[in-house]
Amino acid sequence: TAIIQSIMQTVYDRVMRTGYRLNTQAGDYTITGEDFNGRTLVRADKAGDMSVTIAKPLTEDFIGLSVTVRKTSGDAGTFTTLVAGAGVTLSPPDATILRRVGGSATLVYTGGGNWDIFGELP
Protein backbone atom coordinates (compact mmCIF):
# COMPACT_ATOMS: atom_id res chain seq x y z
CA THR A 1 0.00 0.00 0.00
CA ALA A 2 0.98 3.65 -0.31
CA ILE A 3 1.47 4.03 3.45
CA ILE A 4 3.91 1.11 3.64
CA GLN A 5 5.81 2.41 0.61
CA SER A 6 6.04 5.83 2.21
CA ILE A 7 7.36 4.34 5.46
CA MET A 8 9.88 2.21 3.58
CA GLN A 9 11.09 5.24 1.62
CA THR A 10 11.51 7.23 4.84
CA VAL A 11 13.54 4.41 6.43
CA TYR A 12 15.68 4.14 3.32
CA ASP A 13 16.25 7.91 3.17
CA ARG A 14 17.22 8.15 6.83
CA VAL A 15 19.21 4.94 7.23
CA MET A 16 20.53 3.74 3.90
CA ARG A 17 21.29 6.94 2.04
CA THR A 18 24.46 8.53 3.30
CA GLY A 19 24.68 11.32 0.72
CA TYR A 20 24.17 14.98 1.45
CA ARG A 21 20.82 16.74 1.49
CA LEU A 22 21.29 19.88 -0.62
CA ASN A 23 19.63 23.08 0.56
CA THR A 24 20.35 25.94 -1.86
CA GLN A 25 19.48 29.43 -0.62
CA ALA A 26 19.67 32.63 -2.67
CA GLY A 27 19.07 35.03 0.20
CA ASP A 28 19.75 35.42 3.90
CA TYR A 29 18.86 32.17 5.65
CA THR A 30 18.43 30.74 9.14
CA ILE A 31 19.52 27.15 9.68
CA THR A 32 16.50 25.06 10.74
CA GLY A 33 16.05 21.81 12.64
CA GLU A 34 15.73 19.98 9.32
CA ASP A 35 19.30 21.06 8.51
CA PHE A 36 20.67 19.57 11.76
CA ASN A 37 20.84 16.01 10.45
CA GLY A 38 24.57 15.59 10.02
CA ARG A 39 24.36 15.44 6.23
CA THR A 40 22.97 18.75 4.99
CA LEU A 41 24.94 21.08 2.74
CA VAL A 42 23.52 24.61 2.81
CA ARG A 43 24.58 26.24 -0.46
CA ALA A 44 24.85 30.03 -0.08
CA ASP A 45 24.03 31.06 -3.64
CA LYS A 46 23.71 34.85 -3.58
CA ALA A 47 25.64 37.27 -5.82
CA GLY A 48 26.09 39.80 -2.98
CA ASP A 49 26.77 39.56 0.74
CA MET A 50 24.72 36.91 2.53
CA SER A 51 24.07 35.99 6.16
CA VAL A 52 23.43 32.47 7.39
CA THR A 53 22.10 32.53 10.95
CA ILE A 54 22.96 29.53 13.10
CA ALA A 55 20.09 28.74 15.44
CA LYS A 56 20.09 26.89 18.72
CA PRO A 57 18.40 23.48 18.35
CA LEU A 58 15.21 23.06 20.36
CA THR A 59 16.61 19.99 22.14
CA GLU A 60 20.01 18.56 22.97
CA ASP A 61 19.25 15.54 20.75
CA PHE A 62 21.37 17.24 18.08
CA ILE A 63 24.67 17.04 20.00
CA GLY A 64 27.37 15.73 17.66
CA LEU A 65 25.43 16.43 14.48
CA SER A 66 26.71 18.83 11.86
CA VAL A 67 25.67 21.13 9.05
CA THR A 68 27.98 22.41 6.31
CA VAL A 69 27.68 25.86 4.74
CA ARG A 70 29.32 26.48 1.34
CA LYS A 71 29.58 29.77 -0.58
CA THR A 72 28.59 28.75 -4.12
CA SER A 73 28.44 32.15 -5.82
CA GLY A 74 29.15 35.78 -5.21
CA ASP A 75 30.74 38.80 -6.79
CA ALA A 76 34.35 39.64 -5.93
CA GLY A 77 34.60 41.18 -2.47
CA THR A 78 31.33 39.70 -1.15
CA PHE A 79 31.07 37.49 1.88
CA THR A 80 28.83 34.82 3.35
CA THR A 81 28.74 35.49 7.08
CA LEU A 82 27.76 32.94 9.72
CA VAL A 83 25.72 34.74 12.38
CA ALA A 84 25.11 33.42 15.90
CA GLY A 85 21.38 33.28 16.62
CA ALA A 86 19.82 33.80 20.06
CA GLY A 87 21.61 31.75 22.72
CA VAL A 88 24.28 30.56 20.27
CA THR A 89 28.07 30.70 20.59
CA LEU A 90 30.24 30.01 17.54
CA SER A 91 33.79 28.80 18.16
CA PRO A 92 36.16 30.15 17.11
CA PRO A 93 34.31 33.45 16.84
CA ASP A 94 36.58 34.78 14.09
CA ALA A 95 35.72 31.86 11.76
CA THR A 96 32.37 33.22 10.68
CA ILE A 97 33.15 34.65 7.24
CA LEU A 98 33.38 32.68 4.00
CA ARG A 99 35.44 34.93 1.76
CA ARG A 100 35.58 33.15 -1.59
CA VAL A 101 33.35 31.09 -3.86
CA GLY A 102 33.93 27.45 -2.96
CA GLY A 103 34.78 28.23 0.66
CA SER A 104 32.96 26.12 3.23
CA ALA A 105 32.63 25.59 6.95
CA THR A 106 31.22 22.66 8.88
CA LEU A 107 29.52 23.38 12.19
CA VAL A 108 29.16 20.65 14.82
CA TYR A 109 26.69 21.13 17.66
CA THR A 110 28.38 20.49 21.01
CA GLY A 111 25.39 21.31 23.25
CA GLY A 112 24.23 24.28 25.26
CA GLY A 113 23.93 26.47 22.16
CA ASN A 114 27.60 25.97 21.28
CA TRP A 115 28.81 25.18 17.75
CA ASP A 116 32.40 24.29 16.77
CA ILE A 117 33.41 25.51 13.30
CA PHE A 118 35.81 23.63 11.00
CA GLY A 119 36.86 24.55 7.49
CA GLU A 120 37.88 27.80 5.84
CA LEU A 121 39.13 29.65 8.87
CA PRO A 122 40.78 33.08 8.62
Side-chain angles (χ1 to χ4, degrees):
T1 68
I3 294 173
I4 292 173
Q5 287 176 336
S6 175
I7 291 170
M8 294 301 292
Q9 185 64 48
T10 299
V11 169
Y12 178 78
D13 288 346
R14 292 188 180 175
V15 176
M16 300 303 289
R17 295 178 98 187
T18 58
Y20 281 94
R21 172 184 164 268
L22 301 179
N23 180 358
T24 301
Q25 297 294 323
D28 294 344
Y29 180 68
T30 298
I31 300 291
T32 67
E34 187 174 78
D35 297 319
F36 302 145
N37 62 11
R39 59 181 182 93
T40 292
L41 174 62
V42 175
R43 302 176 77 243
D45 195 39
K46 183 177 177 183
D49 291 329
M50 180 172 172
S51 295
V52 177
T53 301
I54 311 303
K56 181 177 179 181
L58 298 177
T59 71
E60 295 296 285
D61 295 339
F62 297 97
I63 290 175
L65 294 181
S66 65
V67 60
T68 299
V69 178
R70 181 174 178 86
K71 181 176 172 66
T72 58
S73 69
D75 297 330
T78 64
F79 304 110
T80 295
T81 303
L82 306 177
V83 178
V88 169
T89 300
L90 301 176
S91 178
D94 65 346
T96 59
I97 297 176
L98 301 176
R99 297 170 178 8
R100 63 178 179 80
V101 173
S104 63
T106 298
L107 296 95
V108 177
Y109 187 62
T110 60
N114 300 303
W115 291 88
D116 285 349
I117 304 174
F118 304 89
E120 183 181 306
L121 304 179

